[in-house]
Amino acid sequence: MKQDIAWCPGCGNFPIRAALEKVLKELPVPAKNIVLTSGIGQAAKMPHYLPYSYFNGLHGRSLPLAVGIKLARPDLTVIAVSGDGCHYGEGGNHFIHTIRRRLDITILVCDNKVYGLTKGQSSPTTDLGMKNALDPQGNLNTPFSPLVTALAAGAPFVARTFAGDAQHMEQVLRESILFRGPSVVDILQPCVSFNKVNTYAWYRERLYKLEEPPRDRQEAMRLAEIWGERIPIGVFWRDGQFVCREIRETFRRPVTEAAVAKLLDTKCIMMR
Ligand SMILES: Cc1ncc(C[n+]2csc(CCOP(=O)(O)OP(=O)(O)O)c2C)c(N)n1
Ligand code: SF4
């Protein structure tokens, strides 16, 4: 792609971009029917570097955009891709409630465990005690667990993959996009400039692959809580019984002038 990419050399976003591009190209979906949304951050630049339609919104707002697009155009393949700060911090509430809406949206999180764009402050997934420029004594907050939260909110597809393993990433991304329902993928993404702890080597020492998803949610939860000397990656939960929400025709009707006038009129009455 002939475009300057504003990521640092070695950033984990590069292999994620490559995997996503490969998977999207191979999808049995025309390119014009694929749309990406993102918020603000380094990861949120991802759609700029892919040849698909996108809506780049405010920080933390990739998911309301994705929901709006899906409701208006259920025929589109909608993928929201942003960072851990964007999806889990500023957009944390949207993360939970988008899962509850049972729409067919893929939520991809490039999780570098820091705020990359704003120079490495602690993010929701930063480990307790990790030092950075703004937390020289170490992060005082307990890390947010994305997979446990996604499972608790009822996500029918929950996975984790690693930017340093292209094959694993492609497999998990493909499966998450093809799954009909809200799917969550936490992608462990080294930030070579501001996260000197969770490096490619650090992950390679600890990661192990789940052979197949657990049979029940409780086991998925148990595995999702593991983070330490050993860290599982793979599909933690795939609900074969999940029923995606049918989008009623009413959502697809164009807004008429009469409907808007009626709404405005109602507002006036309420304000009096
Ligand atoms: C409402 C709002 N709050 C804060 C910011 C400043 N800001 C921009 S990007 C960012 C964090 C980005 O971190 P993350 O989402 O983890 O993405 P990364 O850059 O690490 O890929 C922050 C705090 C903003 N742009 N808008
Ligand atoms: S600061 Fe980190 S996340 Fe941002 S481009 Fe550089 S390596 Fe990637």
Side-chain angles (χ1 to χ4, degrees):
M1 179 177 283
K2 281 193 180 165
Q3 186 176 7
D4 286 340
I5 294 193
W7 293 324
C8 311
C11 174
N13 281 326
F14 283 102
I16 301 176
R17 196 206 70 82
L20 194 52
E21 183 169 39
K22 183 160 185 249
V23 167
L24 291 177
K25 264 191 189 151
E26 289 168 3
L27 274 192
V29 176
K32 68 178 177 56
N33 281 10
I34 295 173
V35 62
L36 301 155
T37 69
S38 65
I40 298 292
Q42 300 283 24
K45 295 174 188 164
M46 186 75 69
H48 304 185
Y49 310 139
L50 288 162
Y52 298 99
S53 303
Y54 66 84
F55 195 138
N56 191 191
L58 298 175
H59 189 42
R61 301 295 178 264
S62 58
L63 292 174
L65 294 170
V67 168
I69 292 168
K70 190 69 193 175
L71 288 175
R73 286 285 306 274
D75 56 313
L76 298 182
T77 295
V78 182
I79 300 163
V81 55
S82 236
D84 44 300
C86 198
H87 271 319
Y88 303 146
E90 194 92 13
N93 189 23
H94 299 303
F95 179 69
I96 294 168
H97 295 288
T98 301
I99 292 170
R100 289 182 48 249
R101 294 191 204 293
R102 296 191 294 117
L103 293 165
D104 183 17
I105 291 173
T106 306
I107 306 173
L108 304 181
V109 190
C110 304
D111 186 356
N112 56 15
K113 297 171 147 280
V114 286
Y115 287 169
L117 188 73
T118 49
K119 301 200 184 307
Q121 299 91 340
S122 300
S123 87
T125 54
T126 301
D127 284 335
L128 191 65
M130 191 173 116
K131 294 180 181 167
N132 59 53
L134 274 187
D135 274 332
Q137 314 290 322
N139 176 33
L140 295 171
N141 300 317
T142 316
F144 173 86
S145 175
L147 305 189
V148 169
T149 308
L151 286 164
F157 185 98
V158 177
R160 180 194 282 140
T161 184
F162 171 47
D165 187 337
Q167 222 183 344
H168 192 267
M169 232 183 342
E170 284 162 26
Q171 193 185 318
V172 169
L173 292 180
R174 189 176 302 109
E175 214 184 311
S176 69
I177 296 167
L178 291 174
F179 185 88
R180 256 183 63 73
S183 46
V184 175
V185 186
D186 187 69
I187 310 169
L188 302 172
Q189 177 240 320
C191 166
V192 294
S193 296
F194 297 111
N195 186 338
K196 303 295 185 191
V197 175
N198 309 109
T199 60
Y200 287 97
W202 189 93
Y203 281 124
R204 286 206 172 97
E205 270 174 33
R206 291 164 175 80
L207 298 184
Y208 71 96
K209 291 176 188 163
L210 299 176
E211 293 302 322
E212 51 185 72
R215 294 224 181 120
D216 59 66
R217 263 187 119 77
Q218 282 67 32
E219 177 61 2
M221 274 283 188
R222 191 190 68 74
L223 290 166
E225 281 177 346
I226 299 173
W227 185 274
E229 287 314 304
R230 302 277 287 148
I231 300 172
I233 57 170
V235 178
F236 285 65
W237 182 234
R238 189 200 299 119
D239 182 354
Q241 309 298 312
F242 181 78
V243 181
C244 202
R245 171 163 161 190
E246 287 306 319
I247 300 169
R248 286 181 289 126
E249 277 302 305
T250 43
F251 283 115
R252 306 181 64 184
R253 279 192 209 138
V255 178
T256 61
E257 275 183 35
V260 173
K262 195 174 165 197
L263 195 68
L264 291 175
D265 199 35
T266 314
K267 243 190 192 168
C268 288
I269 292 164
M270 282 165 64
M271 282 163 69
R272 262 181 228 141

